[in-house]
Amino acid sequence: MTRRTDISVFVPNLEVGGAELAMIQIAEGLAIRGLNVDLVLIEAKGMFMSQVSDKIRVINLACRRTRYSIWKLFRYLQKEKPKGLISAHDGANVIAILAKFLSSVPTRIIITINSHLSLNYDPKNDKSLARFNTQALFHILKFAYRYADEIVAISTGAADEVARLIKISRKKIQVFYLPVLTERFYELKAQPVENPSLLAKDVPNILSVGRLTPAKDFATLIRAFSIMSKRIPSRLIIMGEGESRQELEELILDYGLKETVILPGFVDNCYPYMGACDLFVVSSAWEGLSLVLIEAMACGASVVSTDCESGPREILEDGAWGLLVPVGDHEALAQAMEKSLIEGSMTSLMPKRVLDIFRQDVVAEKFQQLIFNKDLY
């Protein structure tokens, strides 16, 4: 019997990133619900390839650039005619909308917004964003997104901004939180710490996780730690890799923190460290939501976060479950870190409902209802 594809999930590749991991988790959640799911990749590569469930069929379009994939996706849609296609990343979202238009299939196109459009395309944040092709993509997506069957944003703040920039009704944008809490997450969380030497035995351990990029603003965290550690001797571990490594290493040396700030690089399973640390800190300048904040809370960590656009305030319910501080304010961050270490975890008082909205089964059900045009409520 020929396999019938129910739902396709379309993403450029599976390099390390929050959107990529979320797409794998959404695909897996839908497959667990008994649906036939294809994970359609523009190029089948990336560190997350090993995390794709054997319940999911991987389709490799084998294109080196996103724009070259339109004709292959067009042919795929004509052949498979999935009931719905969920896409992530602006380029892939545009390609999905165009491929459906060209193929004239009834597939419902659900595009996901995983970050803030204005931050992604503001040249003040990154000089490379001033390039013609980047600004051209912004104008194209502002036109194309209006023709998506559904738009799903990962936070209320991201949804509000999309509505404002694209000038469409906010009512047309759904908010589905990321399916962070999966069976795999709980399995990894239960494993022992792989390298206990990373954690200090005699002083508090402060942990942060993320790509070493300007968006995560680890420079502010290091400056805050330089103040706080004079009052409470501690160790800071920042797990992740990225283009800001050299800048951060120089900052660590400038502040004389070589012995107390560790940059171990990418760590395959950071969840046991989240459970073992005394404090988890998010120092981001901006976030679509903040996967690691949710994960740390689910691991039972005490948390502090910048009040960045737009996820942390939503996740922490206006600071009920962790302290919020202004973006880029290292003195305020130092004070919040000190207070959290002294007063202990606020997450221990957190009701179950706070994390339930991030469960894989809950999010997968919402996507299924959206695709099959059922009442979400």
Side-chain angles (χ1 to χ4, degrees):
M1 182 176 177
T2 303
R3 178 186 185 276
R4 173 182 55 84
T5 302
D6 295 311
I7 298 173
S8 303
V9 175
F10 179 52
V11 67
N13 55 53
L14 295 182
E15 300 288 4
V16 175
E20 288 75 12
L21 183 58
M23 289 299 106
I24 293 174
Q25 292 165 338
I26 290 167
E28 182 182 63
L30 291 165
I32 290 172
R33 296 179 69 80
L35 297 165
N36 291 327
V37 181
D38 285 352
L39 180 60
V40 183
L41 302 173
I42 293 173
E43 193 172 8
K45 66 175 185 177
M47 293 183 68
F48 285 151
M49 288 294 298
S50 62
Q51 295 193 24
V52 180
S53 167
D54 57 10
K55 298 182 180 70
I56 299 164
R57 183 173 69 168
V58 175
I59 304 294
N60 182 14
L61 300 183
C63 298
R64 296 186 65 182
R65 292 183 178 275
T66 299
R67 62 177 177 268
Y68 299 153
S69 66
I70 185 169
W71 297 113
K72 289 189 176 182
L73 185 63
F74 156 78
R75 287 191 289 271
Y76 167 83
L77 290 177
Q78 283 197 319
K79 177 184 176 183
E80 299 294 336
K81 297 181 177 62
K83 182 68 175 178
L85 182 145
I86 305 165
S87 63
H89 286 302
D90 294 332
N93 288 343
V94 170
I95 292 297
I97 293 167
L98 292 175
K100 175 189 174 174
F101 174 77
L102 293 170
S103 59
S104 299
V105 295
T107 300
R108 290 175 61 78
I109 301 297
I110 294 90
I111 64 170
T112 62
I113 309 299
N114 292 280
S115 60
H116 283 265
L117 293 185
S118 64
L119 291 170
N120 285 348
Y121 295 94
D122 188 347
K124 290 184 292 185
N125 295 322
D126 186 339
K127 291 181 180 178
S128 66
L129 298 181
R131 293 181 303 190
F132 173 79
N133 57 348
T134 306
Q135 291 302 305
L137 173 60
F138 187 39
H139 291 295
I140 291 169
L141 69 86
K142 287 204 303 183
F143 172 78
Y145 278 13
R146 301 182 186 194
Y147 295 92
D149 293 295
E150 301 286 351
I151 299 177
V152 172
I154 62 170
S155 69
T156 300
D160 292 343
E161 187 183 70
V162 170
R164 177 175 58 82
L165 290 177
I166 300 178
K167 294 181 173 54
I168 59 175
S169 171
R170 174 63 178 80
K171 294 179 180 179
K172 294 184 178 181
I173 305 171
Q174 305 281 350
V175 175
F176 295 174
Y177 291 114
L178 295 174
V180 179
L181 305 182
T182 66
E183 183 178 333
R184 176 179 169 78
F185 166 80
Y186 287 108
E187 290 173 356
L188 291 172
K189 173 189 168 185
Q191 292 181 6
V193 168
E194 184 177 1
N195 184 3
S197 66
L198 285 179
L199 299 172
K201 296 179 180 180
D202 54 345
V203 297
N205 290 285
I206 299 170
L207 177 66
S208 195
V209 177
R211 291 189 63 213
L212 307 185
T213 64
K216 303 304 179 186
D217 196 11
F218 290 125
T220 291
L221 174 56
I222 291 169
R223 292 187 181 98
F225 180 78
S226 72
I227 297 171
M228 191 279 303
S229 60
K230 292 174 183 175
R231 297 193 282 264
I232 302 179
S234 308
R235 174 176 290 184
L236 173 62
I237 306 123
I238 303 174
M239 295 179 174
E241 200 51 81
E243 62 267 26
S244 296
R245 171 174 280 277
Q246 183 176 345
E247 172 194 334
L248 297 176
E249 287 176 338
E250 290 173 356
L251 193 62
I252 290 167
L253 290 176
D254 289 343
Y255 280 102
L257 299 172
K258 186 177 180 180
E259 303 301 320
T260 55
V261 179
I262 301 173
L263 304 180
F266 177 79
V267 174
D268 189 52
N269 182 11
C270 59
Y271 304 139
Y273 296 93
M274 290 177 174
C277 73
D278 297 280
L279 177 64
F280 187 88
V281 180
V282 174
S283 56
S284 299
W286 68 87
E287 289 278 1
L289 186 65
S290 186
L291 279 171
V292 294
L293 181 58
I294 301 162
E295 291 166 341
M297 292 167 67
C299 289
S302 177
V303 296
V304 168
S305 176
T306 51
D307 190 14
C308 64
E309 294 288 348
S310 61
R313 180 168 287 275
E314 291 182 45
I315 296 166
L316 295 174
E317 296 189 342
D318 295 325
W321 317 119
L323 297 177
L324 291 162
V325 300
V327 171
D329 188 336
H330 63 275
E331 293 183 350
L333 183 55
Q335 291 174 4
M337 290 161 63
E338 181 178 0
K339 182 177 181 181
S340 293
L341 287 174
I342 293 171
E343 297 184 359
S345 175
M346 297 163 72
T347 57
S348 61
L349 304 173
M350 188 172 59
K352 183 174 176 289
R353 62 163 180 79
V354 176
L355 293 177
D356 277 352
I357 57 176
F358 304 110
R359 282 175 20 209
Q360 184 182 44
D361 59 323
V362 171
V363 179
E365 181 181 10
K366 286 189 172 185
F367 273 105
Q368 183 176 354
Q369 290 173 336
L370 193 62
I371 289 168
F372 289 92
N373 221 7
K374 296 180 181 177
D375 187 358
L376 282 169
Y377 309 100

